[in-house]
Amino acid sequence: MDGVYLTWLISALAVGVFLMPYFKPPWAKLTLTGFVDFIRRYWLHLLIALVIYNAKDWLDQIDRMLMARTGLDMTPYIYAIEGDLVVLFQDAFRAAWLDVFMTHFYIAGFMFITYASIFYVTYFDDRWMADRVALCVAWVYLLAIPFYLFFNVRVTGFYIEDMDAIAYTLNPEIEDWFRRIDAFTNCMPSLHIAVPFAIWLTFRKHDHDGRWNRFQNMTLGYIILTAFAIIYLGIHWFVDIIGGMILATFAVNLMEKTNDPVWKFFDERTINSRLATLLTRPAHSASLLFGRIKNYAKTWLKPTSKETGTFIVVIMILTAAVITWDLTHNELPAEGVQSAQGAVASEGWLATMDNQSGEAIVLIHDVADPLSNPTTVAQPLMQFDSPYALFENYLVMANDSQLRVIDVDTPNAVLLQQDVTGIQSLQMTSLQGRPVVLYIANDALHAVNIEGQDVQVPTLPNSETIHLMSVSGIEILLVSEEQPDTLRIGTIGTSGSLNIIMNASTTEEQNLELEEWGQTVDDNNASIEQVSFDSQHIAVRMNVSALDRMVIYDRSTGEQWLGFDPIYPVGNLSMGYGYVVWEAKDHYNPLSFTDKYGDWEIHQLHLATNYSEQLTSDTIDQVNPIALEGGLAYIEVEDDGEVTINVLTRGTELATYSSIVLQWSVLLLIALTFIYIMQRQDEVRSTNIIHDNALESE
């Protein structure tokens, strides 16, 4: 657990205990035994709070993947309403001391108000308020779920150029903590407003004798200060505050309607007796349970609007769950692959190197239909580390002694075959509309066209040894062993090149953190290990001894920056179609290893907006991502060693089963909504008739 988080948590708990004498009811007494008794009396109330706290992290993980895969983003509409109003607000009050104070207040204050509101009423045994406060907080979180999953609004500090995300960037430790627990897309509605506002409304309405007046007034003051903080810190929009208040109002109304039936069943006093009965008289308990189920089932034989409304809500929840599952699990395994060892892609085609009973077999897949059977090709005898590359519909392969090019549309026909030894790397592109193969052999760069004729390529000065290359269009990037931090940009058909020195250094503070983990950083001897680029950007993976870092270079401005947190390792990367995709071990700490952060996960960066998002989240490795048009492909390694290659498509297109569920749900909801409206009218009419008859009898 992070040091800063422990500081916030302990501070919130300490302040809550310290202020108990001030906020307690006038006649109440403080005793040490009370700290034990309240847990025994209200363990279920406390459990509800704990479940909500843990469920928030789980929902944030789902939201991250849903946002990254579908692109559901309502922020432009919010910005169209507010414009730069939050920027003017932040600039008007900006001060260094306020940055620090408001950041700590934002976290520790919310911890205090959430736990103290339940802690005080349970410690002083006010069950009337404890039931209502715990339930209204639960309803706030439940009502927020659909907004957080399907109405994503980004934080202001990461959306508006002139707005600073003060809280998220106050220092590296806080920044890392926020990155781990916050999706940065859950602005609407603001729970920092909704939760305390619901608590305040509950106390205001149900504290009949005024015993909690001091706490109620303090909560109102907290809400006002929090509203200031969430705007000032570059987190929320003004409309998020309105959304939080409206959500809180609905939560309190639902609490009032559900309070009696919920606590009739979940009251700790009756639950304890029911558990005792279950353990001592199981047959009697089973008989009672069966009887209640039977009686409840009878109500569905003659349903009222209550049962119909329940059925409508259940259908909506189940439908939303199916759609959410589909949109967060929309990757499809490429068919026919036994154990993928690598992959390349281009223009709707995917080529995988598959381990089939110990043989290295190249398979061709149609990205648009990954479930279709793959095609084998007229390949030479290859090893698992043999190079191969795709360009449009051309596949080039090489073994120890031969280079071969085929057209994937006619996979058994060889277009070019040459005897070449010592090929270390392969790429393919086109020059004047004709395919060109580029390869590094014996530490030298060569190129031939589809007719087997040599093509001029850039050369490195001073006979430097080529370490790696990357090709895009007619441009080629080269890295030499003598200058491993320098990119040489050249053009196929010419001999000259330009130099770009890449920089993977970061702050001394972050380097010291790595050294505390036993990882020595050597920025001065950084070396480029992988390059991917297009006409606008260059993505580079650089080794700095301790780990590999990703650097992004803007070719139009000459600006370069670290594309991922520099204290966590980056693996293979790929650029294409406006995205950079890469594998990384986010939040990986070798001194406190956990499965959750110890595996490789796939991330993406949208270059136009500079938004980075995590696409996978589990405890198994996803590696070797490849950018595709409208998505990406990657290799997944299960715990049992099974290896598959998955194709993930971005967007909101649903699978067949989800579409069928959605269609049937719509039809059912039309009928049920009609029935519900008719039932409500009949019930109101019956009530009015009874009321009128009673008046006439008087």
Side-chain angles (χ1 to χ4, degrees):
M1 190 176 290
D2 302 86
V4 67
Y5 177 77
L6 277 176
T7 302
W8 287 327
L9 182 61
I10 293 172
S11 299
L13 293 172
V15 169
V17 173
F18 179 76
L19 293 177
M20 286 179 71
Y22 179 76
F23 289 123
K24 71 179 182 65
W27 57 85
K29 302 294 183 182
L30 281 169
T31 63
L32 290 176
T33 56
F35 288 97
V36 177
D37 290 341
F38 92 96
I39 297 176
R40 175 179 54 81
R41 292 193 302 262
Y42 292 96
W43 61 269
L44 198 53
H45 290 70
L46 302 176
L47 182 63
I48 289 174
L50 184 63
V51 169
I52 289 172
Y53 180 83
N54 289 310
K56 178 68 167 59
D57 291 341
W58 176 68
L59 284 170
D60 279 343
Q61 289 288 348
I62 296 175
D63 180 50
R64 285 188 184 97
M65 291 190 292
L66 195 65
M67 179 73 171
R69 296 174 183 223
T70 64
L72 291 172
D73 190 357
M74 302 300 168
T75 319
Y77 303 103
I78 302 297
Y79 183 72
I81 296 171
E82 289 197 17
D84 292 334
L85 186 60
V86 290
V87 179
L88 298 175
F89 185 91
Q90 187 182 73
D91 290 344
F93 296 96
R94 191 67 187 269
W97 70 269
L98 205 54
D99 292 357
V100 176
F101 173 77
M102 282 299 169
T103 297
H104 293 292
F105 170 79
Y106 172 74
I107 301 298
F110 187 71
M111 290 178 177
F112 164 75
I113 203 71
T114 304
Y115 106 85
S117 61
I118 297 178
F119 170 56
Y120 287 170
V121 292
T122 54
Y123 178 89
F124 294 110
D125 201 15
D126 187 348
R127 189 168 291 274
W128 171 267
M129 290 305 304
D131 290 350
R132 285 157 177 78
V133 170
L135 191 56
C136 83
V137 171
W139 272 118
V140 166
Y141 278 92
L142 289 172
L143 291 174
I145 290 174
F147 290 95
Y148 284 176
L149 293 182
F150 304 110
F151 197 90
N152 291 287
V153 177
R154 298 182 185 274
V155 299
T156 56
F158 292 148
Y159 186 81
I160 303 176
E161 184 177 357
D162 296 327
M163 192 76 177
D164 290 334
I166 297 171
Y168 298 133
T169 58
L170 187 66
N171 63 51
E173 185 180 9
I174 291 177
E175 181 179 4
D176 183 59
W177 182 79
F178 270 117
R179 283 185 58 250
R180 188 159 60 249
I181 62 98
D182 200 321
F184 303 127
T185 57
N186 289 342
C187 282
M188 171 62 78
S190 168
L191 285 187
H192 273 71
I193 295 296
V195 170
F197 195 70
I199 292 169
W200 180 72
L201 288 176
T202 302
F203 276 103
R204 186 173 184 270
K205 188 169 185 178
H206 295 283
D207 179 24
H208 300 310
D209 58 6
R211 68 180 68 181
W212 298 108
N213 275 347
R214 287 182 174 180
F215 187 79
Q216 178 184 321
N217 294 334
M218 182 277 298
T219 303
L220 179 59
Y222 168 83
I223 294 168
I224 295 171
L225 190 56
T226 297
F228 176 91
I230 61 178
I231 301 298
Y232 174 82
L233 293 173
I235 299 172
H236 282 281
W237 306 78
F238 282 102
V239 293
D240 299 338
I241 298 174
I242 301 173
M245 291 191 294
I246 293 173
L247 185 80
T249 304
F250 276 104
V252 172
N253 288 337
L254 283 170
M255 175 272 293
E256 291 170 347
K257 293 180 179 180
T258 58
N259 184 74
D260 290 342
V262 166
W263 295 115
K264 181 180 179 180
F265 182 81
F266 288 108
D267 190 308
E268 289 89 350
R269 295 166 297 185
T270 57
I271 277 189
N272 291 338
S273 63
R274 286 198 295 270
L275 287 174
T277 303
L278 178 64
L279 294 174
T280 57
R281 303 171 62 190
H284 177 69
S285 299
S287 176
L288 286 176
L289 179 63
F290 178 76
R292 291 188 178 183
I293 293 174
K294 185 177 179 180
N295 291 334
Y296 182 71
K298 287 180 180 179
T299 63
W300 288 89
L301 298 177
K302 293 183 179 180
T304 64
S305 62
K306 180 180 178 181
E307 285 73 36
T308 305
T310 301
F311 197 25
I312 290 173
V313 171
V314 169
I315 289 176
M316 293 176 68
I317 291 174
L318 291 176
T319 303
V322 170
I323 293 173
T324 301
W325 174 268
D326 182 20
L327 293 177
T328 55
H329 295 78
N330 56 351
E331 59 268 31
L332 295 173
E335 193 67 29
V337 179
Q338 294 183 11
S339 181
Q341 305 299 303
V344 293
S346 177
E347 301 297 332
W349 296 104
L350 179 70
T352 59
M353 175 72 78
D354 192 26
N355 182 348
Q356 297 190 358
S357 302
E359 293 186 34
I361 304 298
V362 177
L363 301 175
I364 301 297
H365 309 264
D366 183 352
V367 172
D369 187 14
L371 295 180
S372 61
N373 289 323
T375 304
T376 56
V377 298
Q379 67 177 69
L381 181 63
M382 299 180 70
Q383 304 299 318
F384 295 120
D385 59 352
S386 296
Y388 58 104
L390 264 177
F391 174 72
E392 295 180 348
N393 59 313
Y394 296 99
L395 172 67
V396 58
M397 303 164 286
N399 59 15
D400 293 337
S401 59
Q402 189 180 92
L403 179 149
R404 187 177 293 183
V405 178
I406 67 160
D407 186 336
V408 296
D409 290 325
T410 55
N412 294 317
V414 178
L415 301 180
L416 173 66
Q417 181 171 307
Q418 283 192 339
D419 293 331
V420 183
T421 59
I423 293 181
Q424 303 158 258
S425 177
L426 269 179
Q427 293 282 318
M428 200 169 186
T429 186
S430 68
L431 180 65
Q432 298 177 348
R434 302 291 292 167
V436 174
V437 178
L438 299 101
Y439 59 91
I440 299 174
N442 303 314
D443 299 325
L445 179 63
H446 306 270
V448 295
N449 59 24
I450 200 67
E451 287 81 23
Q453 300 168 334
D454 290 338
V455 176
Q456 187 178 21
V457 291
T459 57
L460 298 183
N462 305 319
S463 301
E464 293 179 2
T465 303
I466 297 176
H467 172 56
L468 61 85
M469 69 169 172
S470 181
V471 178
S472 178
I474 62 172
E475 289 187 308
I476 182 169
L477 294 186
L478 301 173
V479 179
S480 70
E481 293 183 359
E482 289 78 5
Q483 297 192 44
D485 64 343
T486 303
L487 289 174
R488 308 293 176 83
I489 304 179
T491 303
I492 300 170
T494 64
S495 59
S497 63
L498 299 174
N499 297 347
I500 300 176
I501 299 176
M502 302 302 294
N503 180 14
S505 62
T506 185
T507 63
E508 186 66 25
E509 185 178 10
Q510 289 178 316
N511 284 341
L512 288 174
E513 186 170 0
L514 284 169
E515 290 182 7
E516 290 175 0
W517 295 349
Q519 298 176 313
T520 303
V521 177
D522 187 1
D523 288 332
N524 295 327
N525 293 302
S527 60
I528 298 171
E529 300 299 323
Q530 189 181 9
V531 181
S532 187
F533 73 106
D534 60 18
S535 60
Q536 298 295 321
H537 296 89
I538 302 172
V540 172
R541 176 165 60 91
M542 298 188 72
N543 179 265
V544 291
S545 295
L547 74 172
D548 287 0
R549 291 171 175 163
M550 183 174 70
V551 183
I552 307 296
Y553 180 85
D554 188 325
R555 300 181 66 180
S556 61
T557 64
E559 179 186 5
Q560 56 180 290
W561 65 93
L562 293 170
F564 190 67
D565 195 315
I567 66 172
Y568 300 121
V570 168
N572 293 304
L573 58 82
S574 173
M575 177 186 289
Y577 307 100
Y579 284 88
V580 180
V581 294
W582 70 95
E583 62 191 64
K585 292 185 178 181
D586 202 4
H587 312 299
Y588 172 70
N589 182 346
L591 299 184
S592 58
F593 177 81
T594 60
D595 289 340
K596 183 177 180 181
Y597 302 126
D599 62 311
W600 293 102
E601 302 290 356
I602 305 299
H603 298 252
Q604 70 177 18
L605 171 68
H606 187 219
L607 291 165
T609 59
N610 201 32
Y611 289 144
S612 62
E613 297 158 320
Q614 185 172 330
L615 286 167
T616 61
S617 179
D618 47 40
T619 57
I620 60 176
D621 286 328
Q622 285 88 19
V623 296
N624 196 29
I626 304 168
L628 304 174
E629 186 174 11
L632 69 151
Y634 60 88
I635 292 175
E636 184 170 270
V637 184
E638 299 283 353
D639 289 332
D640 60 2
E642 182 181 354
V643 181
T644 59
I645 184 156
N646 294 334
V647 177
L648 187 153
T649 303
R650 298 186 193 93
T652 56
E653 184 177 352
L654 298 175
T656 303
Y657 74 90
S658 289
S659 296
I660 293 173
V661 169
L662 184 59
Q663 291 162 6
W664 276 103
S665 296
V666 170
L667 295 176
L668 279 172
L669 288 173
I670 291 173
L672 290 171
T673 302
F674 176 79
I675 294 171
Y676 176 81
I677 293 171
M678 297 298 292
Q679 288 174 328
R680 287 294 298 157
Q681 281 196 336
D682 291 342
E683 290 164 3
V684 170
R685 183 190 304 165
S686 298
T687 303
N688 290 337
I689 291 173
I690 294 172
H691 180 263
D692 292 343
N693 290 338
L695 290 177
E696 289 176 3
S697 64
E698 292 178 359

